[in-house]
Amino acid sequence: MMILNLLKKFVPNPILLKTQLFVRYAPRDLLDKILGETEPLIPPRRKIFIGGPEFRQIGDEFFGYFRRYGEIQPHHRILDIGCGIGRMSRPFVPFLDPARGSFEGFDIDQSGIKWCQEHYRQYPHFRFQRADIYNKFYNPAGRVQADQFTFPYPDASFDFAFATSVFTHMPSKATARYLRETARVLVPGGRALMTAFVWNPESQALVRQGRAKLPFREHGDLIVIDPNIPEDAIAIRQGDWDDAVRAAGLMPVGEVMWGSWCGRENFTSFQDMALLRKPA
Ligand SMILES: C[S@@+](CC[C@H](N)C(=O)[O-])C[C@H]1O[C@@H](n2cnc3c(N)ncnc32)[C@H](O)[C@@H]1O
C-alpha cells in the first residue's frame, strides 16, 4: 500500500492505471485468446481503462436507454462525448443504417481512440477522434482546458448526443461548457442523455448516513472522493446542474432519473441520468 501511494505521487495516473490493468489482466487475456473467447468490438480486459469489467452488459444497458429515452433511429447522426474505448458504440453497429446514420465519438485518451479507430475500420460511418484536453486523472499532460473546448463538429450536426460517465470526471464549469457545446451541435428538437452524480439534499443525506457506494465529500467548491485527483470522481450540485442546463438552452425532459450510487433504493441505473432536448 505504501509503495502504491508513493507511486501515485510520482507516476502520472494513466500510466499507473494501465500498468495495473496489464499486470492484472494480461494472463487472462492470453487465455481468452487461446480459447478463442474474444470478440472484435470488445477490447481485451487489460485495455479497458474506463473502469468495471462489464463492458458488454453496460453497453447493452445504455443502448436500451438510448432507444427508450433518446428515441434513436437507424438514420440518426449520433455523438458519443467522451467515448472511452467504445463501450457504448458497439450496440449501434447492427442498428445504424450505414448509408444514412453515423456515429462520432471523441475522447481525451489516445489509447481508447486508437483502439476504436483500428477496430471499427470496416464501419466507415463510425468515426473516432482524440482531443488533447487536460484531466488530472485521464490526461494530465493535456494542453486544452475542458471549459474552453469547442467540439470539433459544425452546428446542428447530430440528432442524438450522450455523455455516459464523463461529467462524473469533470469540474462543473467544464460540464457547463460541454452542455453548451452539446446544444450547439444538436439539431433543433434533438435529444441528449447525460449521466452525473447529482449532489442534492437526498444524496447528501444518504452519503452522510454511510449508505453511499461512493464516499463523496465536499472539499471547498468541489465534491469529490479524492481531493488529490478530483477528476477520479466528481459530483455536481443540483443547482449548478440546473443552471448549466438552462444556460445551455436545453430543456429537461421529465425528472432526472436518479441513480443507486448514493444508496437509493429506487433507481434507474447506477449514475443519475438526465434526458435533455434542444427546443425545436
Ligand atoms: C469512465 S470513462 C467512460 C467512457 C465512456 N463514456 C463509457 O461510458 O464507456 C470516462 C471517460 O471520460 C473521458 N473524459 C474525461 N474528461 C473528458 C473531456 N473533457 N472530454 C472528453 N472526454 C473526457 C475519459 O478519457 C474517459 O474515457
Side-chain angles (χ1 to χ4, degrees):
M1 203 56 185
M2 241 175 70
I3 294 180
L4 189 64
N5 284 339
L6 205 65
L7 283 173
K8 272 187 180 171
K9 265 203 168 135
F10 298 107
V11 183
N13 187 66
I15 295 177
L16 198 59
L17 176 69
K18 286 171 188 172
T19 308
Q20 283 174 315
L21 285 169
F22 185 86
V23 171
R24 184 157 178 209
Y25 290 121
R28 183 73 196 272
D29 284 338
L30 183 62
L31 188 67
D32 284 348
K33 203 166 177 188
I34 292 167
L35 298 174
E37 287 176 2
T38 57
E39 274 191 49
L41 296 183
I42 299 193
R45 287 177 175 79
R46 67 182 186 283
K47 296 204 171 174
I48 303 179
F49 66 94
I50 54 168
E54 309 93 351
F55 192 88
R56 178 203 300 281
Q57 293 90 315
I58 294 179
D60 289 345
E61 175 193 339
F62 273 86
F63 190 66
Y65 303 140
F66 301 152
R67 291 196 77 161
R68 191 171 330 140
Y69 304 118
E71 299 181 357
I72 51 168
Q73 303 294 324
H75 64 273
H76 275 174
R77 293 155 298 167
I78 311 285
L79 173 62
D80 183 350
I81 300 159
C83 58
I85 190 160
R87 181 167 61 169
M88 300 299 161
S89 46
R90 183 190 54 82
F92 280 92
V93 169
F95 177 79
L96 282 182
D97 172 355
R100 296 181 306 147
S102 62
F103 190 104
E104 295 277 351
F106 77 89
D107 199 282
I108 66 177
D109 178 89
Q110 181 69 53
S111 68
I113 292 299
K114 186 164 172 275
W115 193 92
C116 289
Q117 287 170 341
E118 283 168 3
H119 288 80
Y120 283 78
R121 221 172 252 152
Q122 59 178 301
Y123 309 110
H125 55 307
F126 282 72
R127 289 174 288 269
F128 300 91
Q129 60 181 293
R130 186 194 183 218
D132 191 15
I133 299 167
Y134 172 82
N135 179 296
K136 195 171 180 189
F137 189 83
Y138 286 106
N139 189 27
R143 284 176 304 173
V144 179
Q145 290 301 320
D147 58 19
Q148 283 158 34
F149 182 63
T150 300
F151 291 1
Y153 314 103
D155 297 358
S157 43
F158 296 101
D159 302 289
F160 179 64
F162 63 89
T164 52
S165 196
V166 178
F167 299 157
T168 50
H169 303 280
M170 288 168 53
S172 56
K173 202 170 152 203
T175 295
R177 169 74 179 190
Y178 270 45
L179 287 172
R180 278 202 301 280
E181 279 298 291
T182 302
R184 180 182 67 76
V185 300
L186 276 178
V187 293
R191 289 182 166 220
L193 190 85
M194 308 303 203
T195 74
F197 297 124
V198 179
W199 195 244
N200 60 18
E202 186 195 10
S203 57
Q204 243 172 302
L206 289 163
V207 169
R208 219 179 299 117
Q209 290 158 24
R211 307 252 298 272
K213 290 166 194 118
L214 300 176
F216 281 107
R217 293 234 325 260
E218 298 195 21
H219 294 269
D221 269 358
L222 289 169
I223 303 146
V224 294
I225 294 177
D226 179 356
N228 293 317
I229 308 188
E231 290 95 329
D232 182 13
I234 301 187
I236 183 164
R237 289 187 175 81
Q238 180 151 13
D240 290 344
W241 174 261
D242 294 341
D243 287 351
V245 168
R246 209 173 305 118
L250 293 168
M251 314 244 306
V253 182
E255 265 272 307
V256 170
M257 293 169 261
W258 301 112
S260 65
W261 63 274
C262 55
R264 273 193 198 89
E265 285 179 4
N266 295 315
F267 54 87
T268 303
S269 187
F270 180 68
Q271 298 189 1
D272 303 319
M273 250 181 343
L275 180 62
L276 307 171
R277 190 171 62 82
K278 177 170 172 173

